[in-house]
Amino acid sequence: MIDAGTSFSGFDARSWHRLVSLFVPGLASQPPERWARRAATRGGVLLVFHDGVRVLRAVHTLRGPLAAEAWQGPETLRALAARTHTRFAVALRTGALESFFERLGGRITAHDDPFVTAALVLGVARELLEDGAAYVLPEVPRGVPLPPVDVALRAWDALLPDGRTAALVLFEGEHLDTALLARRRGLCLDRLHGPEVLHRLVGPLGGDFRRDYRVIRAAIERDLGPMSVGVFAQTDTFRALLRRDDAGAWARAVAARDVVVDPMPPWFAVAAGAGAMRAAARRSRDLFAGVELLGLLDPVARGLRVLAERAGEVDLQALLGFDPLRVLSALLRQSETVPDDEAPDDEPDEPLHDDHDVV
Amino acid sequence: MIGRLRAATLRTSTLDPARWARALDAFADLGFDAVDLCAVWREHELGPGRFDFHAPRRDLAAAVRAAHAVGLRVLLRLGPMATPEAPGLGLPERVLRDASLAARTRRNNPLVVPDGLRLVPLPSLAARGFRHESRQWIAAALGGLGDALALVDRVVVGEALPLRLRDAPGDGDHHPDAGSAADADAFAAAETARVVDYLRELAAAAVTAGVPSDRVAFAWSGPVLGSAAAATLGAERTLVFAAPPPRAGVETLWREFRAAAALGHGAVVTLRAGTAPIEPPVPSSHARAVARIALAAGLDALSVQMGCAGEGWVGALLDEEAHPRPHAARWRELLHGADAMPRGEEVVVTERVAREALEARRARAASNPLPLGLLSRLGISAAELDPTPGTDRRPPRADAVALLDATDLPLGPGFVEVAEAEAPRLAVEPPATVHARCVRDAAGTTHWVALHDHPDPLTLTTARGAVVRAEAGTPVTLHDVEVAP
């Protein structure tokens, strides 16, 4: 959570774009000339406006206006989404947005922190869904309670304790691709820094994150304070793992040192599926008493066992009622917009004024 | 008219003052001839009627003098909501929390808008109290400059309002001072009149504080194209407006920039180098693509935001130490190339829509009026939500003329309107939508600047046989001279 006092620095446009598009690919920028080809691009969002009887307007962010006449409830939205091969869709009845802001305005107070604000916004959005003023796809399960604010705060404390720093450092080959350093003070993050700051803290790197991570961690802790979690990987590996659904993918990646997590908090071991590994191992031992089936000579298996042993009491899924990593991977898999492979900023651009005027 | 301007933004309150001189030198070295400064009300007010303009990061006069010493002109934005990335809308917390100044919903709740990760009440432009406070701020800020005021080239007043989502014709500000409206059309017209009057009041306050009238400009946060308010304001003073994002597409960008270029007092386009952290990120190459379109469309006054911001901005031209980032050199090349654009009178074929009709369209749109800035971020054009389908995009043609969107107001100086039947033409092969500008220089030679986003390269040919092969997204120029056989 950030506020007006958050110090934010150390990103250029490219490294920030790389970082954000890992988690929210739909926000990836497109160059102006791509607009004409947007219809052929996967993904996008369908927006439908209706008055309860007629569809006033149906617009797809990539395919433009769609023909539609009668509004027959959520079936209409599902049919339009299917027609355009769209997974994300929103239908709003006339006045829904006004109602949304009307309710928010009546409940927001001057002293609401970001957690309370988020809870209010989600709560009002849910009311509109339950009233039928709004529909969204994928459908939000009804009756699943939103985590109360105090639960969200406990999860936040578990994720990143006060005074601690989290780091995500990603490489492309031997080079630092992007990074995020985040330190928490009180409720919010007071420092958010990117790779330019990291370069200044660390100096030249060796080019192998499996060795460089120790130097990076030491530099961060010298400047920002103790770390609670550090993730080091190649960008492509990290991107792929974010979209994996199989339990244990992260655990296997950590064990194989495709991802280095140092320090590794207990919640990470649980989230990475190490719990599943441990449970499987325990069942195996029960079945074959006295025989350790987690292969003694297999370094990956040994790594898995170490990981499983680190999994502690903190389980974010039990706390929040959902598994954040699995929800994120499900969303990312459904978000099919492919980021543009733009040239890095240090490559030559086309000149503005070409002298090939007269042929 | 503001004429040629190449400005870069310097955020004095977030950049160490010891680095201001280095940043200004770097701007000059990159080819900029002006610096764009902003005075954020929230950062200067100590209490009601008490301001600080002398503390190191608040000393705007020092920044103005430093810019002047390096030979840079100064653009100074006063707001009251001067820059969209300032917290709290740039307003003092006491103004933000004063319920009597807040815009109201139909049920008298405050209208809230995002401010980072919180929601804050939007001030009401109808509220007499807020208008009074705004004028007081303008006067105080200009007074705080002292003698340095004479060194300011342009004072910019007006809004950098946050995006607001709304979807019903009557969903607007129902503050008691706003009065009532009979129907959606009247409501839309009243809103237009309100924002125009507000900006005029701010300009009058600046003039009263000693700024020559021809040096006061309006800041405008919405689109220019399709806006009756922007057209009205642009007929009175220079309009400083923000470019749409890259994903808005070639046509939306071109038409927006052309509409601005033809305003009566010209326009300054704010181009983005980087973004605020809470905004969708934009790579520098995409931002420069937008800049190329703006320059090709004939906009000769621009401000790059941010030139140098210190903290709180991603991807400025200079980093937090005021050293140029690698992409800064690309901007230098871009600006240098812009000076080679053809100059002269512009020959145009106008497509006019009266301001009243624009307001009516906005009032009746199916989702009125989702902010056009938001729509363009999603890649949706304004008229895709218009109840009259198919009115927006220009169709493919075998020839191109210099089309220009305009309202019922006269065009700015340097524009000559002709009927389509008499207009100069560019042959287009294969037929496609080509956006073109036709310039006649003092010697009577015709020059073209053209742009398209067709998937395949196009061959463009002038009347006298000059030919160019144009790639998508890259502006080209043609000089209509006889080609030897």
Side-chain angles (χ1 to χ4, degrees):
Chain A
M1 297 296 169
I2 61 175
D3 63 10
T6 303
S7 169
F8 183 94
S9 65
F11 286 96
D12 64 11
R14 182 178 181 277
S15 58
W16 181 241
H17 189 250
R18 298 281 281 180
L19 184 71
V20 171
S21 57
L22 280 173
F23 296 96
V24 197
L27 287 184
S29 177
Q30 300 287 327
E33 63 270 20
R34 275 284 176 122
W35 195 95
R37 282 170 274 179
R38 64 182 191 171
T41 305
R42 292 175 296 162
V45 178
L46 173 65
L47 305 172
V48 177
F49 305 96
H50 66 92
D51 63 2
V53 175
R54 300 169 301 147
V55 171
L56 300 175
R57 203 67 168 164
V59 183
H60 192 280
T61 57
L62 298 176
R63 308 197 215 309
L66 305 171
E69 296 205 356
W71 172 257
Q72 292 168 329
E75 257 319 300
T76 305
L77 185 66
R78 283 192 279 270
L80 284 169
R83 196 208 302 177
T84 54
H85 308 290
T86 306
R87 291 189 174 171
F88 295 100
V90 178
L92 294 172
R93 191 175 61 206
T94 302
L97 280 177
E98 185 178 8
S99 178
F100 178 79
F101 284 99
E102 189 76 74
R103 298 181 198 199
L104 271 184
R107 299 176 198 181
I108 288 279
T109 71
H111 308 292
D112 291 335
D113 62 40
F115 287 93
V116 172
T117 300
L120 279 171
V121 171
L122 290 173
V124 170
R126 166 157 280 183
E127 287 172 18
L128 291 178
L129 291 172
E130 287 168 359
D131 290 347
Y135 291 101
V136 297
L137 294 177
E139 295 191 40
V140 176
R142 292 180 181 249
V144 176
L146 292 170
V149 172
D150 62 335
V151 169
L153 284 170
R154 285 209 305 278
W156 179 226
D157 285 337
L159 208 64
L160 186 60
D162 189 6
R164 295 280 175 153
T165 299
L168 171 65
V169 184
L170 300 177
F171 292 79
E172 188 171 9
E174 297 177 348
H175 303 289
L176 183 63
D177 186 23
T178 189
L180 177 67
L181 314 178
R183 185 177 75 183
R184 179 180 166 186
R185 278 275 191 263
L187 261 189
C188 292
L189 300 170
D190 73 328
R191 289 178 70 169
L192 277 172
H193 298 307
E196 288 176 352
V197 168
L198 189 60
H199 267 306
R200 282 199 290 272
L201 293 179
V202 179
L205 294 170
D208 182 350
F209 73 88
R210 294 176 185 87
R211 286 197 297 271
D212 289 338
Y213 79 91
R214 294 187 185 88
V215 171
I216 295 172
R217 176 178 173 177
I220 292 172
E221 292 192 320
R222 261 197 317 273
D223 189 75
L224 293 174
M227 286 176 62
S228 74
V229 60
V231 178
F232 307 82
Q234 292 283 326
T235 305
D236 289 345
T237 303
F238 187 77
R239 179 186 292 115
L241 282 171
L242 282 177
R243 287 149 177 80
R244 292 288 295 271
D245 188 32
D246 51 322
W250 282 90
R252 282 192 296 275
V254 169
R257 289 177 65 78
D258 290 334
V259 176
V260 171
V261 182
D262 182 76
M264 182 188 298
W267 62 261
F268 184 92
V270 173
M277 294 288 170
R278 185 173 59 185
R282 196 180 300 122
R283 280 199 300 277
S284 299
R285 283 200 291 273
D286 287 343
L287 285 172
F288 297 92
V291 177
E292 275 197 305
L293 277 189
L294 290 177
L296 295 173
L297 299 179
D298 182 339
V300 172
R302 278 205 301 276
L304 283 173
R305 190 172 58 189
V306 168
L307 191 67
E309 287 166 359
R310 287 194 192 179
E313 296 295 320
V314 178
D315 185 341
L316 286 178
Q317 177 165 357
L319 197 58
L320 293 170
F322 61 90
D323 183 334
L325 263 184
R326 295 199 72 168
V327 168
L328 180 62
S329 73
L331 280 173
L332 288 174
R333 282 198 308 280
Q334 292 188 52
S335 179
E336 292 179 317
T337 304
V338 178
D340 189 30
D341 283 330
E342 77 280 4
D345 288 338
D346 57 353
E347 287 196 355
D349 273 342
E350 290 292 331
L352 174 69
H353 177 74
D354 267 329
D355 277 332
H356 56 252
D357 300 338
V358 176
V359 174
Chain B
M1 295 286 284
I2 193 162
R4 182 187 182 282
L5 180 79
R6 306 281 188 264
T9 307
L10 181 70
R11 253 327 233 123
T12 50
S13 60
T14 53
L15 178 69
D16 185 346
R19 300 195 172 102
W20 291 0
R22 185 193 295 168
L24 293 168
D25 282 338
F27 289 166
D29 185 58
L30 287 170
F32 291 96
D33 61 11
V35 64
D36 187 340
L37 303 174
C38 69
V40 177
W41 185 358
R42 183 184 188 87
E43 294 167 357
H44 291 273
E45 180 172 294
L46 302 176
R50 295 185 304 116
F51 302 91
D52 176 20
F53 295 102
H54 301 294
R57 288 185 188 236
R58 298 179 178 138
D59 194 348
L60 282 172
V64 171
R65 279 190 279 269
H68 184 73
V70 181
L72 296 173
R73 297 156 66 190
V74 176
L75 207 68
L76 177 63
R77 300 181 193 234
L78 299 181
M81 287 170 275
T83 179
E85 94 287 355
L89 311 181
L91 303 174
E93 201 67 17
R94 65 159 185 99
V95 171
L96 215 53
R97 299 300 172 190
D98 186 337
S100 71
L101 307 182
R104 294 275 151 185
T105 66
R106 269 191 253 242
R107 294 183 187 167
N108 205 34
N109 288 308
L111 270 174
V112 293
V113 291
D115 173 40
L117 290 182
R118 61 175 187 162
L119 295 170
V120 297
L122 183 70
S124 170
L125 300 191
R128 279 187 279 270
F130 181 69
R131 295 163 88 113
H132 172 75
E133 293 270 7
S134 300
R135 292 192 300 270
Q136 296 287 95
W137 156 248
I138 297 293
L142 292 170
L145 283 173
D147 294 342
L149 178 58
L151 303 176
V152 174
D153 192 271
R154 282 291 190 284
V155 169
V156 184
V157 297
E159 52 170 52
L161 283 176
L163 296 178
R164 202 170 82 73
L165 298 174
R166 42 186 187 158
D167 70 343
D171 178 13
D173 184 5
H174 293 265
H175 190 280
D177 291 347
S180 59
D183 54 28
D185 286 4
F187 192 84
E191 282 202 318
T192 298
R194 185 177 309 135
V195 73
V196 168
D197 286 345
Y198 174 68
L199 287 171
R200 284 172 176 161
E201 282 180 23
L202 298 180
V207 172
T208 302
V211 181
S213 183
D214 62 348
R215 292 197 176 187
V216 180
F218 290 131
W220 180 250
S221 60
V224 173
L225 187 64
S227 169
T232 301
L233 293 167
E236 298 175 11
R237 296 182 182 280
T238 300
L239 209 66
V240 181
F241 76 104
R247 65 165 57 211
V250 166
E251 180 163 338
T252 296
L253 288 164
W254 176 269
R255 291 171 68 175
E256 174 81 353
F257 295 147
R258 289 295 290 151
L263 290 173
H265 286 257
V268 179
V269 59
T270 304
L271 300 167
R272 285 299 190 88
T275 56
I278 56 170
E279 298 174 329
V282 175
S284 181
S285 56
H286 295 182
R288 292 197 303 279
V290 172
R292 275 195 288 275
I293 296 173
L295 292 164
L299 283 170
D300 209 20
L302 56 93
S303 178
V304 178
Q305 181 188 48
M306 293 278 181
C308 189
E311 294 185 349
W313 192 263
V314 174
L317 295 180
L318 313 180
D319 64 19
E320 290 88 12
E321 307 284 321
H323 294 126
R325 288 197 164 101
H327 69 99
R330 305 294 171 210
W331 284 90
R332 181 200 281 124
E333 291 171 13
L334 191 78
L335 298 179
H336 183 69
D339 288 337
M341 279 286 160
R343 296 183 190 279
E345 65 180 14
E346 297 224 20
V347 181
V348 296
V349 176
T350 53
E351 294 180 324
R352 289 186 179 270
V353 179
R355 284 170 292 164
E356 272 185 16
L358 288 177
E359 279 309 318
R361 185 186 295 177
R362 186 164 79 90
R364 293 171 204 152
S367 52
N368 167 56
L370 277 186
L372 299 180
L374 176 65
L375 295 181
S376 66
R377 287 176 198 275
L378 300 175
I380 298 174
S381 73
E384 285 177 316
L385 297 178
D386 192 299
T388 311
T391 57
D392 190 52
R393 299 286 131 182
R394 289 187 172 145
R397 302 170 51 143
D399 61 356
V401 295
L403 290 172
L404 177 71
D405 297 278
T407 65
D408 47 310
L409 290 168
L411 301 180
F415 285 83
V416 175
E417 287 183 73
V418 297
E420 176 152 0
E422 287 132 23
R425 297 178 129 67
L426 266 185
V428 180
E429 177 56 38
T433 303
V434 171
H435 311 290
R437 179 161 81 91
C438 180
V439 179
R440 197 173 291 149
D441 66 20
T445 304
T446 299
H447 310 266
W448 291 90
V449 182
L451 174 69
H452 71 91
D453 60 356
H454 192 71
D456 303 313
L458 302 177
T459 301
L460 307 178
T461 310
T462 70
R464 294 189 181 187
V467 180
V468 73
R469 194 149 174 81
E471 300 284 342
T474 302
V476 294
T477 59
L478 296 106
H479 310 291
D480 192 17
V481 295
E482 286 289 349
V483 179

